[in-house]
Every structure is written in structure tokens, then in C-alpha cells.
């Protein structure tokens, strides 16, 4: 059955969710306060890079099932189901999450709800937020008790956002303990297509649903920092962290995924979510429980410093050296440079006196806004031309596939740091390169 849906926020999460809901057959209106974004989306253009999403948005703008507006009252009039997918960034100067955008949606939409409606929060919020918003909604919505709130966290990965939205691993729904029924019924109608395919559907209380999201991200961050901590030990002892990860990853209880040692994690979610989680635990008086996340964060940040130190050693002093940094995005298939280890390393090298030439297939423009003093070029060979050192900082396929001989012909010195352990090391060594991986002392 087709539902009339609104989605507040048209960033990665909101735009993908809106297009995904249209693909499931619903009629969708996306709402954003940014008129420029709305205008572009209405023309089927995306303000960011996400594979497959422009096609999906265009398909449903054309089919008439997806439109965009800046006017919240259009959404309130049109839809009976509202999703909130706005950002919850780290607060400036502290670890806690800033939930003001979520609150602003509730304060704007709530007073417009004069008939029964269901709101699903998708944003990542500190535990306790959903209950507070549910109470607030009852106060400000004219329809009062007929307005329901559910918390429905989103687990999508950038680069796979469409796939993760249409075929999620699981659907989690947090409901108000006192009035659970209606929200679950509505969610079952909205996600009928996925539930028919036996997607696990877990209904919990509000607090659990909020914690599921941050716990999942904290676990992933911990797994990455675990292997990066082991990488430090490998470096000190002459062992190879990739072989080690392969060996421990065969144990099903451990698993090989997210054991990629390298420059560590970045992006709009993992770093800020673990910090917000620590801040919230502290407010709840259980800061000790999450003390280990401080170390997870610390290990992660040390990888960036390690790469810079390694670069300094290899070139015999960064001042005046020319360094090619391949990659600026926090991971491949994305133009997102938020908390990007690649860009952080590039910027630090520059501050230490190196001439830094950056190439990223999609993120050059975003990177140039944050670090205008670096040189950006349109192709990896151009970036490497005349370089004393090449650093692969984001594992784009284009970089993994580079031919060592072709790159060697243009550089000044054949030295490479594989910051993501993504290159065929032996091929580079055979071609005459001085190769350094992360946690791979032997090479
Ligand atoms: C993450 C979660 O995976 C997703 O479920 C959640 O909804 C949002 O946050 P995303 O930020 O898109 O998604 O990226 P992810 O693929 O998880 O990678 C995060 C970072 O970890 C990247 O910088 C990546 O390069 C790094 N990473 C990942 C590693 O350093 N090693 C690995 O083995 C895996």
C-alpha cells in the first residue's frame, strides 16, 4: 500500500531515504531549509556524490512520486508519516552531539499536526532524546494524543547508501512503552516490501533503539582501532598486520571485515558518534563504562601522526619536499571530507613545510574549500609528477590499479606510503619502489 510520506533533511541520510521510499512505491516530499539544495534536488541533481543516488532521485522526480520543498506546511498537509533525517553534528568545543536541528523540525512540524500522524526519527541522537521529543510533541501538536513518535535509526554507509536503504540488514524501531501499537503498524506498512523479504524487524523501547545505533558505530570504531593498535605492535616487532588480520579473521567470531589497518576511521559518523556516546555516558554517571572509547579515538588519531612521521623519515625532512597525496575523501566512493584522515595528513604535511599535491577523483572541490593552500590536480599521474614521496591515503580503485612503472617514470624519488594497505606491495617493490605499508615493518 502506498503511503504519503515526508522526509525532513535532504543530506546523505534524508535524500537517500526520500528516494528509497519513492522506490518502494510511496509518495514522498523531501523538506529542507536550504532553498539551493531544494532547487537542485527538484532538478534531479545531488549536492554530494553518492553512487546510484542521482539516478534514483531523477527516476522518481520524473515519476512524480518524489518532490522537494522548503515549506514544512506542504509536508504537514500532504503526509501522514514524517521522517526526521537532519544532522546531529558534534557541538563546537565539546564532545556532545548538537540535536538542535532535530528539535527545530519538531518545533516547526508539531504545531502543524492537526490530524493523526506518525513521526519517525532517523537521526543519531543521545539516548533519552526520543522520549523528550515524544512528550514535547504531545504538548505542541493540535492533534495531541493522535501524534505518534517512533525512533528508527539508520545504518547506511556512504558509498552504499542506496543499497543499504533498500536492502537493510535489519530494521530497528523504538516505540513509546506506553503506546506501542500504532507506530509499529505504520512502520510495517511503510517497510512492507522489506518485511516481505524477511528483513529482521526489531521493536524495542526508545532508549534501546537510540543506543543500538551508537553501539553499532562504537563497535565498528573499536574494531578498526583494535587492528590499528596491533599495527603499532607489528611495526615495533617486525610483524605484518595484514597477514595477522587474515589469520585472526578466519575465526568466525572475529570476522575479517573492519580489520583494515591504515590511516584509521573518519567521516561524519564514527568519530562524532563515539565522542557523543562518551559525553552522554558521562551525563548518565557511567563515564567509566565507555572510557575505552577515549583510547579508541586516541589510537585512531595516532595513525595520522604515524603516517606524517613515516613521511618525514622517508624523505629525510619534510621541509621543501614534494609529496603527492592520493585521496582526500574519508573513504572511497564518497566526496565527503568530514574528519578525513587523508586530508588531515595532507594538511599536516603542508604545515610541516612540504609542497603537497592532492588528487581525489571526487573530493578535490570539497577539500579545496577546507585546505585552499594545498595544490589540487585532476589526475593521479599529474599529482605524482616530480614527487619525492607518494602517499595513498584513500583506497580508490583508480589508485589500487595504478601501474608502478608508469608512476615511477614521473616521480622524482620512487618512495610510496600505502596508507590503506591497499596496493599489491610486491609489484611495487619489484618495480623498484621503496614501499611502506601501515603496520607492515617488513616491507
Ligand atoms: C558508518 C557505519 O558503517 C554506518 O553503519 C553508519 O550508519 C554511519 O557510519 P560510514 O561513515 O559511511 O558508515 O563509513 P564506514 O564504511 O563505516 O567507514 C568508516 C571509516 O572507517 C572510513 O574512514 C574507513 O576508511 C575506515 N575503515 C573502515 C578503516 O579504516 N578500516 C576498515 O577496516 C574499515
Amino acid at each position: 500500500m502506498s503511503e504519503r510520506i515526508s522526509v525532513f533533511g535532504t543530506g546523505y541520510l534524508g535524500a537517500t531515504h526520500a528516494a528509497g521510499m519513492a522506490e518502494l512505491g510511496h509518495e514522498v516530499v523531501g523538506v529542507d531549509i536550504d532553498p539551493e539544495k531544494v532547487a537542485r534536488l527538484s532538478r534531479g541533481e545531488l549536492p554530494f556524490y553518492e553512487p546510484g543516488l542521482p539516478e534514483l532521485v531523477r527516476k522518481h522526480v520524473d515519476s512524480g512520486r518524489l518532490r522537494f520543498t522548503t515549506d514544512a506546511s506542504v509536508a504537514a498537509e500532504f503526509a501522514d508519516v514524517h521522517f526526521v533525517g537532519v544532522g546531529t553534528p558534534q557541538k563546537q568545543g565539546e564532545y556532545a552531539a548538537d540535536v538542535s536541528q532535530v528539535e527545530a523540525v519538531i518545533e516547526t512540524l508539531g504545531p502543524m499536526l492537526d490530524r493523526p500522524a506518525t513521526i519517525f526519527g532517523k537521526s543519531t541522537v543521545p539516548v533519552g532524546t526520543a522520549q523528550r521529543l515524544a512528550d514535547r510533541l504531545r504538548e505542541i501538536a493540535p492533534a495531541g494524543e493522535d501524534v505518534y513518535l517512533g525512533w528508527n535509526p539508520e545504518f547506511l554507509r556512504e558509498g552504499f547508501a542506496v543499497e543499504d536503504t533498500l536492502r537493510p540488514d535489519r530494521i530497528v524501531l523504538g516505540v513509546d512503552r506506553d503506546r506501542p501499537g500504532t507506530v509499529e503498524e505504520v512502520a510495517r506498512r511503510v517497510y512492507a516490501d522489506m518485511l516481505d523479504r524477511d528483513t529482521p524487524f526489531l521493536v524495542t523501547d526508545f532508549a534501546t533503539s537510540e543506543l543500538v545505533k551508537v553501539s553499532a558505530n562504537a563497535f565498528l570504531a573499536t574494531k578498526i582501532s583494535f587492528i590499528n593498535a596491533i599495527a603499532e605492535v607489528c611495526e615495533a616487532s617486525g610483524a605484518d598486520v595484514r597477514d595477522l588480520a587474515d589469520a585472526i579473521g578466519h575465526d568466525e567470531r572475529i570476522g575479517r571485515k573492519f580489520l583494515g589497518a591504515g590511516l584509521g576511521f573518519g567521516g561524519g559518523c564514527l568519530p562524532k558518534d563515539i565522542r557523543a556516546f562518551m559525553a552522554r555516558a558521562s551525563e548518565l554517571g557511567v563515564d567509566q563504562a565507555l572510557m575505552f572509547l577515549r583510547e579508541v579515538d586516541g589510537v585512531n588519531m595516532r595513525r595520522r601522526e604515524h603516517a606524517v612521521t613515516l613521511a618525514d623519515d622517508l624523505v629525510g625532512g619534510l621541509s621543501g619536499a614534494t609529496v603527492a597525496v592520493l585521496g582526500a575523501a574519508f573513504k572511497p566512493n564518497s566526496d565527503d571530507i568530514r574528519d578525513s584522515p587523508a586530508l588531515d595528513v595532507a594538511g599536516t604535511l603542508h604545515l610541516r613545510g612540504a609542497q603537497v599535491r592532492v588528487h581525489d577523483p571526487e573530493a578535490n572541490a570539497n577539500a579545496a574549500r577546507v585546505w585552499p593552500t594545498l595544490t589540487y590536480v585532476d589526475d593521479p599521474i599529474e599529482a605524482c609528477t616530480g614527487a619525492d614521496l607518494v602517499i595513498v591515503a584513500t583506497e580508490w580503485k583508480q589508485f589500487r590499479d595504478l601501474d608502478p612503472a608508469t608512476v615511477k617514470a614521473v616521480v622524482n624519488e620512487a618512495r610510496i606510503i600505502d596508507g590503506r594497505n591497499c596496493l599489491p606491495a610486491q609489484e611495487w617493490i619489484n618495480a623498484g619502489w621503496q614501499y611502506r605499508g601501515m603496520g607492515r615493518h617488513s616491507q
Side-chain angles (χ1 to χ4, degrees):
M1 205 173 91
S2 161
E3 301 289 323
R4 296 169 75 148
I5 289 176
S6 87
V7 180
F8 282 77
T10 61
Y12 284 99
L13 167 56
T16 315
H17 191 68
M21 292 300 99
E23 178 71 5
L24 293 184
H26 302 304
E27 288 177 74
V28 184
V29 56
V31 188
D32 204 291
I33 52 170
D34 181 347
E36 164 79 19
K37 252 194 205 168
V38 164
R40 288 185 65 178
L41 285 161
S42 303
R43 292 195 297 269
E45 292 169 23
L46 266 282
F48 53 86
Y49 176 78
E50 181 62 44
L53 189 55
E55 292 80 356
L56 201 65
V57 168
R58 268 197 294 279
K59 176 176 167 191
H60 292 297
V61 166
D62 291 347
S63 75
R65 288 217 292 269
L66 177 60
R67 63 202 162 101
F68 297 92
T69 179
T70 52
D71 186 352
S73 68
V74 169
E77 241 162 69
F78 171 77
D80 305 303
V81 179
H82 306 277
F83 284 91
V84 183
V86 292
T88 51
Q90 188 174 335
K91 274 187 189 164
Q92 243 171 17
E94 50 181 306
Y95 270 10
D98 174 0
V99 293
S100 61
Q101 294 179 48
V102 176
E103 288 166 349
V105 172
I106 297 297
E107 294 299 325
T108 306
L109 180 62
M112 297 174 175
L113 298 175
D114 51 15
R115 61 175 203 274
T118 305
I119 300 179
F120 292 104
K122 291 201 83 66
S123 309
T124 304
V125 291
V127 59
T129 306
Q131 189 62 60
R132 182 161 56 77
L133 297 178
D135 296 343
R136 178 72 185 145
L137 267 172
R138 244 171 307 189
E139 268 170 45
I140 59 175
E145 294 290 322
D146 288 331
V147 173
Y148 290 86
L149 181 73
W151 213 261
N152 175 215
E154 180 58 61
F155 304 97
L156 64 81
R157 295 161 299 168
E158 292 182 20
F160 300 92
V162 172
E163 173 70 16
D164 287 352
T165 300
L166 295 177
R167 274 168 288 277
D169 294 340
R170 73 294 208 190
I171 299 168
V172 176
L173 178 67
V175 298
D176 199 336
R177 273 204 203 92
D178 300 334
R179 9 184 261 148
T182 306
V183 180
E184 184 177 336
E185 277 164 36
V186 176
R188 284 187 180 278
R189 289 206 302 271
V190 170
Y191 294 126
D193 175 89
M194 298 158 187
L195 297 177
D196 286 348
R197 275 184 283 119
D198 291 332
T199 306
F201 183 45
L202 298 107
V203 181
T204 70
D205 51 50
F206 275 150
T208 305
S209 68
E210 292 165 317
L211 283 179
V212 164
K213 175 60 198 280
V214 279
S215 305
N217 278 353
F219 188 85
L220 294 172
T222 303
K223 205 170 173 191
I224 298 168
S225 276
F226 172 82
I227 201 65
N228 280 328
I230 300 296
E232 289 185 32
V233 181
C234 287
E235 276 148 19
S237 59
D240 186 303
V241 76
R242 254 185 73 158
D243 292 345
L244 182 148
D246 288 344
I248 64 172
H250 280 298
D251 185 330
E252 271 183 20
R253 295 168 303 174
I254 296 174
R256 181 66 175 82
K257 288 183 183 158
F258 272 67
L259 285 183
L263 287 178
F265 59 81
C269 288
L270 261 43
K272 71 120 174 137
D273 283 357
I274 60 169
R275 292 170 193 157
F277 201 10
M278 284 187 268
R280 186 66 185 128
S282 176
E283 285 168 9
L284 293 168
V286 286
D287 43 348
Q288 271 209 316
L290 298 188
M291 210 71 102
F292 71 98
L293 288 179
R294 207 169 276 278
E295 198 49 39
V296 165
D297 205 2
V299 169
N300 193 50
M301 300 313 281
R302 275 208 299 277
R303 296 321 281 161
R304 306 175 186 191
E305 286 163 31
H306 174 72
V308 173
T309 307
L310 195 55
D312 189 63
D313 288 350
L314 278 177
V315 298
L318 284 166
S319 187
T322 301
V323 183
V325 177
L326 301 182
F330 84 105
K331 69 174 193 180
N333 301 317
S334 170
D335 66 356
D336 194 344
I337 46 114
R338 283 176 295 173
D339 213 338
S340 166
L343 193 56
D344 192 353
V345 166
T348 307
L349 292 170
H350 169 75
L351 293 177
R352 303 268 177 92
Q355 303 283 334
V356 181
R357 297 165 64 77
V358 179
H359 167 71
D360 189 285
E362 295 293 337
N364 271 3
N366 284 343
R369 273 192 284 277
V370 178
W371 274 104
T373 43
L374 309 181
T375 304
Y376 297 90
V377 297
D378 288 333
D379 122 13
I381 297 297
E382 196 186 337
C384 294
T385 301
D388 301 307
L389 170 69
V390 176
I391 302 181
V392 176
T394 311
E395 67 276 33
W396 284 94
K397 185 173 185 312
Q398 291 91 318
F399 305 155
R400 286 188 270 128
D401 291 347
L402 280 171
D403 173 34
T406 311
V407 188
K408 190 160 181 269
V410 301
V411 293
N412 189 34
E413 295 284 347
R415 304 178 184 122
I416 188 157
I417 296 178
D418 184 359
R420 292 290 178 183
N421 288 342
C422 63
L423 300 175
Q426 203 54 50
E427 282 178 33
W428 286 75
I429 294 164
N430 292 346
W433 284 80
Q434 189 180 358
Y435 172 95
R436 285 282 181 277
M438 303 289 280
R440 312 185 74 190
H441 191 266
S442 50
Q443 280 158 335

